[in-house]
Amino acid sequence: MSNAYSKDLERWLPRLIAVWRASRGKGDGPEGRLTPQEVKEVGAGVKQLSLGLTRERQLAGARYMDDPRLLGAYLLFYWPVSYAQARQVLGELPNRPRHVLDLGSGPGPVAFAAMDAGASEVTAADRSKPALALALKLATEAGEALATREWDPLKKNAQLPDGQFDLITMGHVVNELYGATDEALKPRAALLEAILTKVKKGGSLLVMEPALRETSRNLLKVRDLLVERGYGIRAPCMYRGPCPALVKETDWCHAERAWPMPRVVEELARTAGFHKESLKMSYLVVAPKGEAWPEPPPGRLFRIVSESLEGKGRQRYIGCGPEGRVGLAMQERHRAEKNERFFHLQRGDVIEVTDLETKGDGFALGENAEVRIVAQAGRGVPPGPPKAPEAPAAPQAPTPVPPVKP
């Protein structure tokens, strides 16, 4: 996460703590910091949320934000994490959104991330009244205007808020809808299709999910259903066919970003007994129906979709680009100034590579290989030249009609 994002988040932390204390009726305590007793209390709630949402999954789909203790734990731990994740992904949008709808907003981390990224009108929608109330209190603390709406996708005939939006966001929502089996995939895709009708031309739907294997693979399966129905993916995918990460059951695809963890988050993570040294999430940015996939810039492009797979005498990654998901490897002896960047890539970087030789499950970069960063992780891929329209087919000579015999 860039320094600018870090500074924005640091400004939110005292507000989060102040709103949390006020919601408990206990306003005393050091500004911007938690007391040891508060850390212990909130840490227990964070541990319960983590078990319920990422391990045992029994809280997925439950109304946990109506529980004051769990809502408080979410506000002080998962809110900063979700905000930072959203700021990363928002950096990949092709246009700065002005009018934003955040569905399943909770107390608004993604909504406020969009606001800090330049949105001028933001609406937060959720089924939890207590979560929306906290979002409004945060907006008051920050001196920002935030509209709120109640929205429950599981209610029969649930209506989306009126209007059309440049961006609709769904942060860690879709994986909790319609159950935990493959039967949930089609209704999830249908919901996203309905939501996409509210996205303006040139706008996007951003779906962000946990980086767990199950939730990531399910998001990719929903992606494939949308792609089958003619939707284009703005990010992170450049491959236009069925997702190649689904071929093997052991594969999945997620983003990972380094970030300077705020002190409050670090204390709560330590108390809850787990490490959170980086931001991990899965995400899709989907274009509305009828809009083409973005044209990539020229060259052989790959998004790095793995950590470094460094071996003896070589560097290796998994890349995914217009030609699919492949291994990319280079021997240390071929290292040179023109390909030095290959040895320092981050998951999410998009690179252009030359001098590739087919080898094993992918490509080896030869001694003449050049490696250029097209887009760093968290940045949008520059658009390539638009495709030239296909030349109209030459007119066919009319088929002669045989004369009618008298």
Side-chain angles (χ1 to χ4, degrees):
M1 188 169 68
S2 75
N3 289 333
Y5 299 173
S6 300
K7 289 174 183 175
D8 288 343
L9 180 54
E10 287 295 339
R11 286 193 286 270
W12 281 105
L13 292 172
R15 300 165 187 160
L16 296 172
I17 293 171
V19 165
W20 172 70
R21 284 178 176 147
S23 70
R24 301 163 70 237
K26 299 177 181 179
D28 295 333
E31 184 180 354
R33 291 190 294 114
L34 296 177
T35 66
Q37 182 56 38
E38 288 173 334
V39 170
K40 185 177 179 182
E41 175 189 337
V42 178
V46 169
K47 187 172 184 179
Q48 186 179 343
L49 276 176
S50 177
L51 287 171
L53 293 174
T54 66
R55 297 183 197 175
E56 298 166 4
R57 300 283 291 162
Q58 83 275 12
L59 286 179
R63 301 187 70 102
Y64 54 88
M65 287 205 184
D66 290 346
D67 179 328
R69 192 172 70 91
L70 295 182
L71 178 57
Y74 180 92
L75 187 71
L76 297 181
F77 184 79
Y78 286 104
W79 197 107
V81 172
S82 294
Y83 175 96
Q85 291 171 335
R87 286 299 299 268
Q88 275 286 336
V89 179
L90 290 168
E92 296 197 39
L93 295 179
N95 306 303
R96 177 183 291 184
R98 297 295 181 187
H99 196 189
V100 177
L101 171 63
D102 182 23
L103 293 173
S105 64
V110 180
F112 289 114
M115 200 176 284
D116 286 348
S120 53
E121 293 181 53
V122 180
T123 300
D126 200 275
R127 65 181 179 178
S128 170
K129 291 181 180 179
L132 290 176
L134 283 188
L136 283 174
K137 288 175 183 174
L138 283 171
T140 301
E141 281 280 326
E144 300 283 3
L146 176 73
T148 59
R149 300 284 185 277
E150 285 190 45
W151 176 74
D152 185 349
L154 300 180
K155 272 189 177 177
K156 192 174 181 180
N157 301 322
Q159 297 295 310
L160 290 162
D162 293 335
Q164 293 288 113
F165 302 88
D166 300 308
L167 174 68
I168 298 180
T169 58
M170 301 183 78
H172 305 293
V173 178
V174 177
N175 75 94
E176 298 188 18
L177 300 177
Y178 310 116
T181 68
D182 278 355
E183 292 178 1
L185 301 176
K186 286 186 178 178
R188 287 176 186 174
L191 175 65
L192 297 188
E193 278 202 275
I195 290 168
L196 280 157
T197 65
K198 308 288 285 184
V199 176
K200 294 178 185 176
K201 184 177 180 181
S204 302
L205 167 63
L206 164 60
V207 181
M208 200 166 65
E209 295 280 71
L212 305 168
R213 176 178 171 276
E214 176 193 350
T215 53
S216 297
R217 285 180 65 85
N218 283 343
L219 179 60
L220 296 178
K221 291 173 183 177
V222 170
R223 168 216 181 266
D224 282 1
L225 290 173
L226 292 174
V227 169
E228 280 178 19
R229 296 170 194 179
Y231 291 89
I233 307 298
R234 299 200 190 281
C237 311
M238 292 184 284
Y239 185 66
R240 302 186 182 194
C243 179
L246 293 175
V247 174
K248 295 180 183 176
E249 285 292 327
T250 52
D251 287 343
W252 74 98
C253 191
H254 68 274
E256 184 171 359
R257 309 279 190 266
W259 75 312
M261 189 184 298
R263 177 179 173 179
V264 170
V265 176
E266 190 175 5
E267 287 177 336
L268 292 174
R270 190 165 53 245
T271 301
F274 50 83
H275 301 285
K276 208 161 190 74
E277 297 170 354
S278 61
L279 294 170
K280 294 181 181 181
M281 65 280 187
S282 297
Y283 68 96
L284 286 178
V285 181
V286 189
K289 192 70 173 278
E291 293 202 25
W293 287 68
E295 282 301 321
R300 299 188 78 174
L301 303 185
F302 301 92
R303 185 183 291 275
I304 302 303
V305 294
S306 75
E307 69 278 9
S308 167
L309 304 171
E310 187 176 354
K312 188 175 180 180
R314 72 165 187 178
Q315 178 62 279
R316 187 172 182 272
Y317 306 93
I318 304 298
C320 192
E323 53 200 281
R325 181 182 171 97
V326 296
L328 300 169
M330 174 175 267
Q331 299 294 326
E332 183 73 34
R333 67 177 184 272
H334 292 152
R335 190 170 187 162
E337 185 178 348
K338 60 189 174 184
N339 57 46
E340 174 67 26
R341 286 173 180 255
F342 187 78
F343 294 85
H344 308 284
L345 296 174
Q346 302 297 316
R347 190 194 293 261
D349 288 343
V350 177
I351 59 173
E352 180 195 355
V353 188
T354 65
D355 193 35
L356 294 175
E357 176 189 344
T358 302
K359 196 163 187 179
D361 68 346
F363 298 111
L365 283 69
E367 59 185 343
N368 296 317
E370 294 186 32
V371 177
R372 181 175 71 88
I373 301 283
V374 174
Q376 290 184 316
R379 300 291 181 190
V381 178
K387 263 189 177 178
E390 291 184 11
Q396 298 283 328
T399 304
V401 179
V404 179
K405 290 183 180 180

